[in-house]
Amino acid sequence: AIPGLAELVMLGKLAYHAEQTQSDGSPLYEHVIIDAPASGHAISLLATPGIVLRSVPKGALADAVGVSHQLLHDPKRFRVDIVTTAEELPVNETLELKEELQKRAVPLGWLILNHCSPALDTALPALQAAEDPISAHIRQHLHHIESQQEQRARLARLWRPAHICFPTMLPRRELQEASNSGSAQQQLIRDAAYMFDEAFHERCCRV
């Protein structure tokens, strides 16, 4: 098989759909989205047209590959949105990917963070001494939030343009267990858990 053939076929199909028009000449599709592979393979995918163009003589193949190559470097028609999580190793990989894309003059779009938790304005001291499973879960979640905030601050310093976050929700089973208890402490824990839930809805998806 020709090295890079699968990548060329995928990018050729992308370019084909991006060029399709309706009878009135307007684009057939408003957006064409590819769920690209992980960072290392994505770099190889995006680099393939340039490598082929440097390796083959002028002709039909070079013309076809040239269409894909031009598309991948046109910021008006193409961009790469990177999806990651606010954890140390994924953030390291994301910053390396950003650098590689910039070296290749590939347009960058949004940075999308999955499984985000918002910083909460209200401290929950009553949960610190509680030993039930739900309190332990919330304390663990608070520690996770602190770690995520460190990585999000790091990205905010090193990344342009802005990023958007999508939330992780607390397990509903644990909320239900809390709501089945009538004790004052369990009521506090249930209210705190729902506060997390509301914060996710109201604050996580802000740009």
Side-chain angles (χ1 to χ4, degrees):
I2 301 174
L5 180 59
E7 288 82 359
L8 287 178
V9 170
M10 180 185 296
L11 294 174
K13 187 169 179 60
L14 168 64
Y16 170 75
H17 288 308
E19 297 287 342
Q20 281 186 288
T21 59
Q22 303 184 67
S23 58
D24 61 0
S26 61
L28 180 60
Y29 301 108
E30 183 176 355
H31 299 288
V32 180
I33 299 173
I34 286 184
D35 183 8
S39 57
H41 296 293
I43 289 294
S44 298
L45 171 68
L46 297 172
T48 299
I51 294 172
V52 172
L53 287 175
R54 292 191 295 270
S55 306
V56 302
K58 293 182 179 180
L61 176 59
D63 291 343
V65 174
V67 173
S68 298
H69 184 71
Q70 291 176 5
L71 173 65
L72 297 181
H73 294 83
D74 184 351
K76 294 181 179 179
R77 298 193 299 155
F78 181 82
R79 74 173 190 234
V80 174
D81 295 330
I82 300 177
V83 181
T84 188
T85 56
E87 314 292 341
E88 184 175 4
L89 290 179
V91 166
N92 289 342
E93 189 173 295
T94 295
L95 293 173
E96 290 173 3
L97 175 58
K98 175 195 176 190
E99 184 177 347
E100 290 297 322
L101 293 174
Q102 289 176 325
K103 286 180 182 177
R104 290 166 171 78
V106 176
L108 282 172
W110 290 100
L111 172 62
I112 300 171
L113 300 181
N114 264 338
H115 305 300
C116 278
S117 301
L120 297 179
D121 300 325
T122 304
L124 303 173
L127 298 178
Q128 301 303 319
E131 298 181 358
D132 59 276
I134 298 176
S135 298
H137 177 87
I138 293 178
R139 285 196 300 272
Q140 182 181 11
H141 198 72
L142 285 170
H143 177 73
H144 182 66
I145 287 175
E146 291 177 1
S147 176
Q148 281 198 344
Q149 292 302 313
E150 292 176 3
Q151 296 304 319
R152 290 175 65 177
R154 182 181 169 205
L155 286 170
R157 292 193 302 271
L158 300 175
W159 184 276
R160 294 293 184 274
H163 60 270
I164 186 169
C165 300
F166 290 97
T168 297
M169 311 303 258
L170 283 177
R172 287 290 179 180
R173 175 181 57 81
E174 295 181 8
L175 297 182
Q176 184 61 41
E177 289 175 357
S179 65
N180 290 337
S181 171
S183 71
Q185 183 185 40
Q186 288 297 322
Q187 182 68 34
L188 171 63
I189 294 167
R190 186 197 68 182
D191 293 343
Y194 277 114
M195 183 180 69
F196 273 101
D197 223 10
E198 291 174 1
F200 290 147
H201 283 294
E202 292 175 3
R203 299 175 60 184
C204 261
C205 291
R206 293 182 182 175
V207 175

